[in-house]
Amino acid sequence: MTQENQNPEQENPAAEGSAQAAPEVGAVKTPEEEIAELNQKLGELQDHFLRAKAEGENIRRRAVEDIAKAHKFAIESFAEHLVPVTDSLYAALSTDASDAKAFKEGLEITLKQLLSAFEKGRMTEINPAVGDKFDPHHHQAIASVPSEQEANTVVSVLQRGYTVADRVLRPALVTVSAPK
């Protein structure tokens, strides 16, 4: 028999050193230590979850507030363009209009201001010309009258319509030619 077989406790000195190092690296924990460590990790994860949930609620709440403010103040820039028109109308009402021609010129200037404000607010006028084809998306036919024009064409405009950013705010009220 060799020396290795005679002493079973000392089979391999290199293996013995690594066996002693293994328990130090992966030290066996008691169940209580493992429970305490897992409870700590659970507490940290619960804390992270609650913080993320609170942050999500805050983001949602801020978004709702921002949307409410956007709805509330959406007309603000348009209103800023209308204020000078109001000033002009008040000025016209405060003067003594002895001259109808001067009063009419003042009204025309005020109308130009108003149309400029509409343009700045992306509001356009729907004013079809006589003879234009009836467009149900932009016009509302009030009556159909016999006419020499082709059927379903605009004969007269009773009231102008308006669009805001390509959405019809109010269709133009028109009379159309009746089919022959």
Side-chain angles (χ1 to χ4, degrees):
M1 245 179 159
T2 65
Q3 194 176 16
E4 289 176 13
N5 291 340
Q6 289 175 354
N7 192 354
E9 290 180 21
Q10 223 180 29
E11 286 183 349
N12 189 352
E16 186 178 320
S18 66
Q20 288 175 352
E24 292 173 8
V25 172
V28 177
K29 297 178 184 173
T30 64
E32 292 82 17
E33 291 174 337
E34 284 187 38
I35 289 172
E37 185 179 311
L38 291 174
N39 280 336
Q40 181 184 1
K41 285 183 181 178
L42 177 64
E44 289 174 6
L45 291 174
Q46 285 175 334
D47 183 55
H48 290 305
F49 170 74
L50 290 176
R51 289 178 188 273
K53 186 177 178 183
E55 182 65 23
E57 265 309 300
N58 288 340
I59 289 171
R60 186 197 62 76
R61 183 184 46 78
R62 276 187 242 121
V64 167
E65 288 174 1
D66 289 346
I67 289 170
K69 285 180 183 177
H71 286 298
K72 186 176 180 179
F73 299 112
I75 196 166
E76 183 177 11
S77 66
F78 183 63
E80 287 174 354
H81 300 301
L82 289 179
V83 170
V85 177
T86 306
D87 294 340
S88 295
L89 288 172
Y90 279 126
L93 288 173
S94 67
T95 62
D96 292 329
S98 58
D99 185 13
K101 184 177 179 182
F103 188 73
K104 183 179 178 187
E105 288 175 4
L107 284 177
E108 288 172 349
I109 292 170
T110 304
L111 179 61
K112 286 180 185 177
Q113 278 183 319
L114 181 62
L115 294 176
S116 173
F118 283 175
E119 185 179 313
K120 290 174 185 172
R122 298 182 357 191
M123 185 170 168
T124 56
E125 201 173 60
I126 302 172
N127 187 19
V130 173
D132 283 355
K133 190 76 176 160
F134 175 73
D135 180 0
H137 300 291
H138 292 99
H139 309 146
Q140 182 176 350
I142 298 298
S144 179
V145 295
S147 174
E148 296 297 320
Q149 297 178 5
E150 184 179 325
N152 291 327
T153 57
V154 175
V155 174
S156 66
V157 178
L158 303 171
Q159 188 177 56
R160 295 173 186 197
Y162 295 93
T163 61
V164 175
D166 298 326
R167 179 182 279 178
V168 176
L169 179 65
R170 181 180 79 187
L173 299 180
V174 297
T175 56
V176 294
S177 59
K180 295 180 184 179

